[in-house]
Short mmCIF file of all heavy atoms in Angstrom, two decimals:
data_model
loop_
_atom_site.label_atom_id
_atom_site.label_comp_id
_atom_site.label_asym_id
_atom_site.label_seq_id
_atom_site.Cartn_x
_atom_site.Cartn_y
_atom_site.Cartn_z
N ARG A 322 111.39 189.33 47.41
CA ARG A 322 112.61 190.13 47.41
C ARG A 322 112.59 191.15 46.27
O ARG A 322 112.99 192.31 46.45
CB ARG A 322 113.83 189.22 47.26
CG ARG A 322 115.16 189.95 47.13
CD ARG A 322 115.46 190.81 48.33
NE ARG A 322 116.59 191.69 48.12
CZ ARG A 322 117.02 192.57 49.01
NH1 ARG A 322 116.39 192.71 50.16
NH2 ARG A 322 118.05 193.33 48.75
N GLU A 323 112.10 190.75 45.11
CA GLU A 323 112.05 191.66 43.96
C GLU A 323 111.06 192.79 44.21
O GLU A 323 111.28 193.93 43.77
CB GLU A 323 111.70 190.88 42.71
CG GLU A 323 112.85 189.97 42.24
CD GLU A 323 112.43 189.02 41.14
OE1 GLU A 323 111.22 188.63 41.10
OE2 GLU A 323 113.28 188.64 40.31
N HIS A 324 109.97 192.50 44.90
CA HIS A 324 109.03 193.57 45.25
C HIS A 324 109.71 194.60 46.16
O HIS A 324 109.49 195.81 46.01
CB HIS A 324 107.80 192.99 45.95
CG HIS A 324 106.76 192.45 45.01
ND1 HIS A 324 106.08 193.24 44.10
CD2 HIS A 324 106.29 191.19 44.82
CE1 HIS A 324 105.23 192.50 43.40
NE2 HIS A 324 105.34 191.24 43.82
N ARG A 325 110.54 194.13 47.09
CA ARG A 325 111.27 195.06 47.95
C ARG A 325 112.27 195.87 47.14
O ARG A 325 112.46 197.07 47.38
CB ARG A 325 111.99 194.30 49.06
CG ARG A 325 111.04 193.70 50.10
CD ARG A 325 111.78 193.38 51.40
NE ARG A 325 112.87 192.44 51.19
CZ ARG A 325 112.74 191.12 51.27
NH1 ARG A 325 111.55 190.59 51.54
NH2 ARG A 325 113.78 190.32 51.10
N ASP A 326 112.92 195.21 46.17
CA ASP A 326 113.88 195.93 45.32
C ASP A 326 113.20 197.01 44.49
O ASP A 326 113.82 198.03 44.15
CB ASP A 326 114.61 194.95 44.41
CG ASP A 326 115.59 194.06 45.16
OD1 ASP A 326 115.96 194.43 46.30
OD2 ASP A 326 115.97 193.00 44.62
N MET A 327 111.93 196.79 44.14
CA MET A 327 111.20 197.79 43.36
C MET A 327 111.06 199.10 44.12
O MET A 327 111.01 200.17 43.51
CB MET A 327 109.80 197.26 43.00
CG MET A 327 109.78 196.26 41.85
SD MET A 327 110.35 197.00 40.29
CE MET A 327 109.17 198.33 40.07
N GLN A 328 111.03 199.03 45.45
CA GLN A 328 110.91 200.26 46.25
C GLN A 328 112.08 201.20 45.97
O GLN A 328 111.93 202.43 46.02
CB GLN A 328 110.88 199.90 47.74
CG GLN A 328 109.71 199.02 48.17
CD GLN A 328 108.42 199.80 48.24
OE1 GLN A 328 108.44 201.04 48.34
NE2 GLN A 328 107.30 199.11 48.16
N ASN A 329 113.24 200.62 45.70
CA ASN A 329 114.46 201.42 45.52
C ASN A 329 114.82 201.66 44.06
O ASN A 329 115.79 202.38 43.78
CB ASN A 329 115.64 200.73 46.22
CG ASN A 329 115.42 200.56 47.70
OD1 ASN A 329 114.90 201.45 48.36
ND2 ASN A 329 115.81 199.40 48.23
N LEU A 330 114.09 201.04 43.13
CA LEU A 330 114.51 201.06 41.72
C LEU A 330 114.70 202.47 41.15
O LEU A 330 115.74 202.74 40.54
CB LEU A 330 113.53 200.26 40.87
CG LEU A 330 113.92 200.12 39.38
CD1 LEU A 330 113.60 198.71 38.87
CD2 LEU A 330 113.17 201.14 38.53
N PRO A 331 113.76 203.40 41.29
CA PRO A 331 113.97 204.73 40.68
C PRO A 331 115.23 205.42 41.18
O PRO A 331 116.04 205.92 40.38
CB PRO A 331 112.71 205.50 41.08
CG PRO A 331 111.68 204.45 41.28
CD PRO A 331 112.42 203.30 41.90
N HIS A 332 115.43 205.44 42.50
CA HIS A 332 116.62 206.12 43.03
C HIS A 332 117.89 205.33 42.74
O HIS A 332 118.97 205.92 42.59
CB HIS A 332 116.46 206.37 44.53
CG HIS A 332 115.66 207.59 44.84
ND1 HIS A 332 114.29 207.66 44.67
CD2 HIS A 332 116.04 208.83 45.27
CE1 HIS A 332 113.87 208.86 45.00
NE2 HIS A 332 114.90 209.59 45.37
N THR A 333 117.79 203.98 42.66
CA THR A 333 118.97 203.19 42.33
C THR A 333 119.42 203.47 40.90
O THR A 333 120.63 203.64 40.64
CB THR A 333 118.67 201.69 42.50
OG1 THR A 333 118.31 201.44 43.86
CG2 THR A 333 119.90 200.86 42.16
N LEU A 334 118.48 203.56 39.96
CA LEU A 334 118.85 203.88 38.58
C LEU A 334 119.42 205.29 38.49
O LEU A 334 120.32 205.56 37.70
CB LEU A 334 117.64 203.73 37.66
CG LEU A 334 117.25 202.30 37.29
CD1 LEU A 334 116.03 202.30 36.37
CD2 LEU A 334 118.41 201.57 36.60
N MET A 335 118.91 206.19 39.31
CA MET A 335 119.47 207.54 39.34
C MET A 335 120.92 207.50 39.82
O MET A 335 121.79 208.14 39.23
CB MET A 335 118.64 208.44 40.25
CG MET A 335 119.21 209.86 40.38
SD MET A 335 118.18 210.97 41.34
CE MET A 335 118.40 210.28 42.98
N VAL A 336 121.19 206.73 40.89
CA VAL A 336 122.56 206.60 41.38
C VAL A 336 123.46 205.98 40.31
O VAL A 336 124.61 206.40 40.12
CB VAL A 336 122.59 205.77 42.68
CG1 VAL A 336 124.03 205.44 43.07
CG2 VAL A 336 121.91 206.51 43.81
N CYS A 337 122.93 205.00 39.57
CA CYS A 337 123.70 204.39 38.48
C CYS A 337 124.08 205.43 37.44
O CYS A 337 125.22 205.50 36.98
CB CYS A 337 122.90 203.25 37.84
SG CYS A 337 122.72 201.78 38.87
N TYR A 338 123.11 206.27 37.06
CA TYR A 338 123.37 207.31 36.07
C TYR A 338 124.44 208.29 36.58
O TYR A 338 125.34 208.69 35.83
CB TYR A 338 122.07 208.06 35.77
CG TYR A 338 122.25 209.26 34.87
CD1 TYR A 338 122.47 209.11 33.51
CD2 TYR A 338 122.21 210.56 35.40
CE1 TYR A 338 122.64 210.21 32.68
CE2 TYR A 338 122.37 211.66 34.58
CZ TYR A 338 122.59 211.48 33.23
OH TYR A 338 122.76 212.58 32.42
N LEU A 339 124.36 208.63 37.85
CA LEU A 339 125.32 209.57 38.43
C LEU A 339 126.70 208.96 38.62
O LEU A 339 127.66 209.65 38.90
CB LEU A 339 124.79 210.08 39.77
CG LEU A 339 123.48 210.87 39.71
CD1 LEU A 339 122.99 211.22 41.11
CD2 LEU A 339 123.62 212.13 38.88
N ASN A 340 126.77 207.62 38.46
CA ASN A 340 128.05 206.92 38.57
C ASN A 340 128.56 206.45 37.20
O ASN A 340 129.37 205.53 37.11
CB ASN A 340 127.93 205.73 39.52
CG ASN A 340 128.10 206.13 40.97
OD1 ASN A 340 129.15 205.96 41.57
ND2 ASN A 340 127.03 206.68 41.55
N GLY A 341 128.08 207.09 36.14
CA GLY A 341 128.65 206.84 34.82
C GLY A 341 127.90 205.86 33.93
O GLY A 341 128.34 205.61 32.80
N PHE A 342 126.77 205.33 34.38
CA PHE A 342 125.96 204.45 33.54
C PHE A 342 124.99 205.35 32.77
O PHE A 342 123.85 205.57 33.18
CB PHE A 342 125.24 203.41 34.39
CG PHE A 342 126.16 202.39 35.01
CD1 PHE A 342 126.87 202.70 36.16
CD2 PHE A 342 126.32 201.14 34.44
CE1 PHE A 342 127.72 201.78 36.74
CE2 PHE A 342 127.18 200.21 35.01
CZ PHE A 342 127.88 200.52 36.16
N ASP A 343 125.44 205.86 31.64
CA ASP A 343 124.72 206.93 30.94
C ASP A 343 123.33 206.53 30.46
O ASP A 343 122.44 207.38 30.32
CB ASP A 343 125.55 207.40 29.74
CG ASP A 343 126.84 208.08 30.17
OD1 ASP A 343 126.91 208.53 31.34
OD2 ASP A 343 127.78 208.14 29.36
N GLU A 344 123.12 205.25 30.18
CA GLU A 344 121.82 204.81 29.68
C GLU A 344 120.78 204.67 30.79
O GLU A 344 119.59 204.49 30.52
CB GLU A 344 121.96 203.47 28.95
CG GLU A 344 122.75 203.55 27.65
CD GLU A 344 122.79 202.22 26.92
OE1 GLU A 344 122.24 201.25 27.46
OE2 GLU A 344 123.35 202.17 25.81
N ALA A 345 121.20 204.75 32.05
CA ALA A 345 120.29 204.52 33.17
C ALA A 345 119.16 205.55 33.20
O ALA A 345 118.02 205.22 33.52
CB ALA A 345 121.06 204.53 34.48
N ARG A 346 119.47 206.79 32.86
CA ARG A 346 118.43 207.83 32.86
C ARG A 346 117.37 207.53 31.81
O ARG A 346 116.16 207.63 32.09
CB ARG A 346 119.06 209.20 32.59
CG ARG A 346 118.07 210.35 32.61
CD ARG A 346 118.77 211.69 32.41
NE ARG A 346 117.85 212.80 32.44
CZ ARG A 346 117.17 213.24 31.39
NH1 ARG A 346 117.34 212.65 30.20
NH2 ARG A 346 116.33 214.26 31.50
N ALA A 347 117.80 207.15 30.61
CA ALA A 347 116.84 206.81 29.56
C ALA A 347 116.01 205.59 29.95
O ALA A 347 114.79 205.54 29.68
CB ALA A 347 117.58 206.55 28.25
N LYS A 348 116.64 204.61 30.58
CA LYS A 348 115.91 203.42 31.03
C LYS A 348 114.85 203.80 32.06
O LYS A 348 113.73 203.26 32.06
CB LYS A 348 116.87 202.41 31.64
CG LYS A 348 117.87 201.81 30.64
CD LYS A 348 117.17 200.90 29.64
CE LYS A 348 118.19 200.23 28.72
NZ LYS A 348 117.53 199.38 27.69
N LEU A 349 115.19 204.73 32.94
CA LEU A 349 114.24 205.18 33.95
C LEU A 349 113.05 205.89 33.31
O LEU A 349 111.89 205.64 33.68
CB LEU A 349 114.94 206.11 34.95
CG LEU A 349 114.11 206.64 36.11
CD1 LEU A 349 113.53 205.50 36.94
CD2 LEU A 349 114.95 207.57 36.98
N ILE A 350 113.32 206.75 32.34
CA ILE A 350 112.23 207.46 31.65
C ILE A 350 111.34 206.48 30.90
O ILE A 350 110.11 206.58 30.92
CB ILE A 350 112.81 208.52 30.70
CG1 ILE A 350 113.52 209.62 31.51
CG2 ILE A 350 111.72 209.13 29.83
CD1 ILE A 350 114.28 210.61 30.65
N GLU A 351 111.95 205.51 30.23
CA GLU A 351 111.17 204.51 29.49
C GLU A 351 110.27 203.69 30.42
O GLU A 351 109.21 203.22 30.02
CB GLU A 351 112.12 203.57 28.75
CG GLU A 351 112.85 204.21 27.58
CD GLU A 351 113.93 203.30 27.01
OE1 GLU A 351 114.00 202.12 27.45
OE2 GLU A 351 114.70 203.74 26.14
N ALA A 352 110.70 203.54 31.67
CA ALA A 352 109.96 202.72 32.62
C ALA A 352 108.78 203.47 33.25
O ALA A 352 108.01 202.88 34.02
CB ALA A 352 110.89 202.23 33.73
N LYS A 353 108.60 204.73 32.94
CA LYS A 353 107.55 205.53 33.57
C LYS A 353 106.18 204.86 33.53
O LYS A 353 105.51 204.76 34.58
CB LYS A 353 107.49 206.93 32.94
CG LYS A 353 106.39 207.80 33.53
CD LYS A 353 106.36 209.17 32.86
CE LYS A 353 105.22 210.01 33.41
NZ LYS A 353 105.18 211.37 32.79
N PRO A 354 105.69 204.37 32.38
CA PRO A 354 104.36 203.74 32.37
C PRO A 354 104.29 202.52 33.29
O PRO A 354 103.26 202.29 33.94
CB PRO A 354 104.16 203.35 30.90
CG PRO A 354 105.10 204.22 30.14
CD PRO A 354 106.28 204.42 31.03
N LEU A 355 105.36 201.74 33.35
CA LEU A 355 105.38 200.55 34.20
C LEU A 355 105.32 200.94 35.68
O LEU A 355 104.58 200.34 36.47
CB LEU A 355 106.64 199.73 33.94
CG LEU A 355 106.81 199.12 32.54
CD1 LEU A 355 108.19 198.51 32.39
CD2 LEU A 355 105.73 198.06 32.30
N LEU A 356 106.08 201.96 36.05
CA LEU A 356 106.11 202.39 37.45
C LEU A 356 104.81 203.07 37.85
O LEU A 356 104.35 202.93 38.98
CB LEU A 356 107.29 203.33 37.67
CG LEU A 356 108.68 202.75 37.33
CD1 LEU A 356 109.76 203.78 37.58
CD2 LEU A 356 108.95 201.49 38.12
N LYS A 357 104.20 203.78 36.92
CA LYS A 357 102.93 204.45 37.21
C LYS A 357 101.82 203.43 37.43
O LYS A 357 100.90 203.66 38.23
CB LYS A 357 102.57 205.39 36.06
CG LYS A 357 101.42 206.34 36.37
CD LYS A 357 101.25 207.36 35.27
CE LYS A 357 100.18 208.39 35.64
NZ LYS A 357 100.03 209.43 34.60
N ALA A 358 101.90 202.30 36.71
CA ALA A 358 100.86 201.26 36.82
C ALA A 358 101.13 200.29 37.96
O ALA A 358 100.28 199.45 38.27
CB ALA A 358 100.78 200.49 35.50
N TYR A 359 102.28 200.37 38.60
CA TYR A 359 102.64 199.43 39.66
C TYR A 359 101.69 199.61 40.84
O TYR A 359 101.33 200.74 41.21
CB TYR A 359 104.08 199.67 40.11
CG TYR A 359 104.68 198.51 40.86
CD1 TYR A 359 105.17 197.39 40.19
CD2 TYR A 359 104.76 198.52 42.25
CE1 TYR A 359 105.73 196.32 40.87
CE2 TYR A 359 105.32 197.46 42.95
CZ TYR A 359 105.80 196.37 42.25
OH TYR A 359 106.34 195.31 42.94
N PRO A 360 101.22 198.52 41.46
CA PRO A 360 100.22 198.61 42.53
C PRO A 360 100.64 199.50 43.70
O PRO A 360 99.79 200.16 44.31
CB PRO A 360 100.06 197.15 42.98
CG PRO A 360 100.44 196.34 41.78
CD PRO A 360 101.52 197.12 41.11
N ASP A 361 101.90 199.51 44.04
CA ASP A 361 102.39 200.35 45.13
C ASP A 361 102.65 201.75 44.61
O ASP A 361 103.62 202.01 43.90
CB ASP A 361 103.67 199.75 45.72
CG ASP A 361 104.17 200.51 46.95
OD1 ASP A 361 103.69 201.63 47.20
OD2 ASP A 361 105.04 199.97 47.65
N GLY A 362 101.77 202.69 44.94
CA GLY A 362 101.87 204.04 44.41
C GLY A 362 103.11 204.80 44.84
O GLY A 362 103.51 205.77 44.19
N SER A 363 103.75 204.37 45.93
CA SER A 363 104.94 205.07 46.40
C SER A 363 106.11 204.95 45.42
O SER A 363 107.01 205.78 45.41
CB SER A 363 105.37 204.55 47.77
OG SER A 363 105.81 203.20 47.69
N ILE A 364 106.08 203.91 44.58
CA ILE A 364 107.18 203.71 43.63
C ILE A 364 107.13 204.76 42.52
O ILE A 364 108.16 205.29 42.11
CB ILE A 364 107.14 202.28 43.06
CG1 ILE A 364 107.44 201.28 44.19
CG2 ILE A 364 108.13 202.10 41.91
CD1 ILE A 364 107.30 199.84 43.79
N TYR A 365 105.93 205.08 42.05
CA TYR A 365 105.82 206.14 41.04
C TYR A 365 106.18 207.49 41.65
O TYR A 365 106.80 208.34 41.01
CB TYR A 365 104.41 206.18 40.46
CG TYR A 365 104.23 207.23 39.39
CD1 TYR A 365 105.00 207.19 38.22
CD2 TYR A 365 103.33 208.27 39.55
CE1 TYR A 365 104.86 208.16 37.23
CE2 TYR A 365 103.18 209.24 38.57
CZ TYR A 365 103.95 209.18 37.42
OH TYR A 365 103.81 210.14 36.45
N LEU A 366 105.82 207.68 42.92
CA LEU A 366 106.21 208.91 43.61
C LEU A 366 107.72 209.01 43.69
O LEU A 366 108.31 210.08 43.47
CB LEU A 366 105.61 208.92 45.01
CG LEU A 366 105.84 210.16 45.87
CD1 LEU A 366 105.22 211.38 45.23
CD2 LEU A 366 105.26 209.94 47.27
N SER A 367 108.39 207.89 43.96
CA SER A 367 109.85 207.86 44.00
C SER A 367 110.43 208.17 42.62
O SER A 367 111.47 208.85 42.51
CB SER A 367 110.32 206.49 44.48
OG SER A 367 111.73 206.42 44.52
N PHE A 368 109.78 207.69 41.57
CA PHE A 368 110.21 208.00 40.20
C PHE A 368 110.19 209.51 39.96
O PHE A 368 111.16 210.09 39.43
CB PHE A 368 109.31 207.30 39.19
CG PHE A 368 109.39 207.86 37.79
CD1 PHE A 368 110.42 207.48 36.94
CD2 PHE A 368 108.45 208.77 37.33
CE1 PHE A 368 110.51 208.00 35.66
CE2 PHE A 368 108.53 209.29 36.05
CZ PHE A 368 109.56 208.91 35.21
N LYS A 369 109.11 210.17 40.35
CA LYS A 369 109.01 211.60 40.12
C LYS A 369 110.07 212.37 40.91
O LYS A 369 110.63 213.36 40.41
CB LYS A 369 107.60 212.10 40.48
CG LYS A 369 106.52 211.57 39.55
CD LYS A 369 105.22 212.34 39.68
CE LYS A 369 104.55 212.10 40.99
NZ LYS A 369 103.21 212.76 41.06
N GLU A 370 110.37 211.91 42.11
CA GLU A 370 111.40 212.57 42.91
C GLU A 370 112.78 212.39 42.26
O GLU A 370 113.59 213.33 42.23
CB GLU A 370 111.40 212.00 44.33
CG GLU A 370 110.16 212.36 45.13
CD GLU A 370 110.13 213.82 45.53
OE1 GLU A 370 111.15 214.33 45.99
OE2 GLU A 370 109.08 214.45 45.36
N ALA A 371 113.05 211.18 41.75
CA ALA A 371 114.34 210.94 41.10
C ALA A 371 114.49 211.80 39.85
O ALA A 371 115.55 212.39 39.61
CB ALA A 371 114.46 209.46 40.73
N MET A 372 113.43 211.92 39.06
CA MET A 372 113.49 212.74 37.86
C MET A 372 113.67 214.22 38.21
O MET A 372 114.32 214.96 37.48
CB MET A 372 112.22 212.55 37.02
CG MET A 372 112.09 211.17 36.38
SD MET A 372 113.55 210.70 35.40
CE MET A 372 113.65 212.06 34.23
N ARG A 373 113.11 214.62 39.33
CA ARG A 373 113.25 216.01 39.76
C ARG A 373 114.72 216.33 40.06
O ARG A 373 115.23 217.39 39.67
CB ARG A 373 112.39 216.25 41.00
CG ARG A 373 112.34 217.68 41.47
CD ARG A 373 111.23 217.83 42.50
NE ARG A 373 111.54 217.06 43.70
CZ ARG A 373 112.22 217.55 44.73
NH1 ARG A 373 112.70 218.78 44.69
NH2 ARG A 373 112.44 216.83 45.80
N VAL A 374 115.41 215.41 40.73
CA VAL A 374 116.82 215.62 41.04
C VAL A 374 117.64 215.67 39.75
O VAL A 374 118.49 216.55 39.56
CB VAL A 374 117.35 214.51 41.96
CG1 VAL A 374 118.85 214.66 42.16
CG2 VAL A 374 116.64 214.55 43.31
N LEU A 375 117.38 214.74 38.83
CA LEU A 375 118.12 214.69 37.57
C LEU A 375 117.87 215.94 36.74
O LEU A 375 118.77 216.46 36.08
CB LEU A 375 117.74 213.44 36.78
CG LEU A 375 118.20 212.11 37.40
CD1 LEU A 375 117.63 210.93 36.60
CD2 LEU A 375 119.72 212.03 37.43
N ARG A 376 116.63 216.43 36.77
CA ARG A 376 116.30 217.64 36.02
C ARG A 376 117.05 218.84 36.58
O ARG A 376 117.55 219.68 35.83
CB ARG A 376 114.79 217.86 36.07
CG ARG A 376 114.29 218.95 35.12
CD ARG A 376 112.78 218.96 35.07
NE ARG A 376 112.19 219.26 36.36
CZ ARG A 376 111.41 218.44 37.05
NH1 ARG A 376 111.13 217.25 36.59
NH2 ARG A 376 110.91 218.81 38.22
N LYS A 377 117.12 218.94 37.90
CA LYS A 377 117.85 220.04 38.51
C LYS A 377 119.31 220.04 38.05
O LYS A 377 119.88 221.08 37.72
CB LYS A 377 117.79 219.94 40.03
CG LYS A 377 116.49 220.39 40.66
CD LYS A 377 116.55 220.20 42.16
CE LYS A 377 115.27 220.65 42.83
NZ LYS A 377 115.11 222.10 42.79
#
Side-chain angles (χ1 to χ4, degrees):
R322 175 60 190 178
E323 289 170 331
H324 278 296
R325 290 199 301 270
D326 289 341
M327 282 297 300
Q328 299 285 340
N329 300 319
L330 184 141
H332 277 73
T333 299
L334 284 179
M335 177 176 70
V336 171
C337 289
Y338 174 75
L339 298 175
N340 276 260
F342 291 80
D343 294 339
E344 293 184 357
R346 182 177 181 273
K348 294 292 184 182
L349 182 58
I350 294 172
E351 290 171 7
K353 178 180 177 179
L355 296 172
L356 302 180
K357 192 172 185 178
Y359 198 79
D361 185 346
S363 67
I364 293 175
Y365 181 60
L366 183 62
S367 179
F368 163 81
K369 292 196 291 185
E370 292 288 315
M372 291 306 303
R373 186 168 65 90
V374 174
L375 292 174
R376 190 171 62 243
K377 282 179 180 289

